Amino acid sequence: SQQGEEDPQALSIQEGENATMNCSYKTSINNLQWYRQNSGRGLVHLILIRSNEREKHSGRLRVTLDTSKKSSSLLITASRAADTASYFCATADNYGQNFVFGPGTRLSVLP
Amino acid sequence: DAGVTQSPTHLIKTRGQQVTLRCSPKSGHDTVSWYQQALGQGPQFIFQYYEEEERQRGNFPDRFSGHQFPNYSSELNVNALLLGDSALYLCASSLSGRAVYEQYFGPGTRLTVT
């Protein structure tokens, strides 16, 4: 069974707006990672946040992690049409192993 | 620096047949993991290979087997194919011995079972 659960399942926004996706998980983790997937092809690693970190930035991406609530959020600022993709969170257990992916959020950025 | 490569890109098989998928890891990586991704779902972990041995396994039947070669490349074999095995099969490579590591994914092999 999947540990991560992304919310919402689908999100449609206009270009230039911000997009926020959430991920909840069930067990203790070593780290949480966000991936992007275009058109059912390979996953691209976006950002990794460790369990002792609360926030991390990378370009237009901002990730937060709340281990007390077992949740994470991914914010994409100033979205572009090229950001249209599915976004997945994946958790690794306390040994940094056992990657478990959520079902993903399908983001559509309209020009 | 070559990333993770997979072959073939697409494959069509008939129920009951056997299939072999191949993966070459990113240069410098020694660990290979395989995932199955059904349409509209997240990837599901099948197993991981390190030092030519299966190190971890997800909840998949014995029809799914694998192999890792001395050059770290890997194969995924699926026997007695079922319609439900139709999916995108993703290979990911990483470097062992690190407490926190990132996985680099290949483009996947789209398997269709008819």
Side-chain angles (χ1 to χ4, degrees), chain A residues 2 33 37 40 42 96 98-99, chain B residues 35 37 44 56 88 101 103 106:
Chain A
Q2 293 180 325
Q33 305 185 28
Q37 185 177 41
N98 291 326
F99 268 51
Chain B
Y35 293 82
Q37 185 179 21
Q44 296 278 320
Q56 293 181 8
L88 180 68
Y101 65 96
Q103 292 190 93

Side-chain angles (χ1 to χ4, degrees), chain B residues 11-49:
Chain B
L11 202 53
I12 300 175
K13 289 286 188 178
T14 304
R15 275 179 300 175
Q17 286 187 319
Q18 178 264 344
V19 67
T20 297
L21 310 181
R22 296 176 175 81
C23 170
S24 291
K26 178 180 170 64
S27 178
H29 284 185
D30 57 7
T31 301
V32 173
S33 302
W34 286 92
Y35 293 82
Q36 180 195 66
Q37 185 179 21
L39 197 62
Q41 298 183 22
Q44 296 278 320
F45 175 73
I46 302 175
F47 43 54
Q48 183 181 80
Y49 275 83

Side-chain angles (χ1 to χ4, degrees), chain B residues 48-56 67-68:
Chain B
Q48 183 181 80
Y49 275 83
Y50 170 68
E51 289 189 339
E52 302 180 49
E53 292 188 357
E54 184 182 291
R55 184 160 68 173
Q56 293 181 8
H67 187 77
Q68 185 178 35

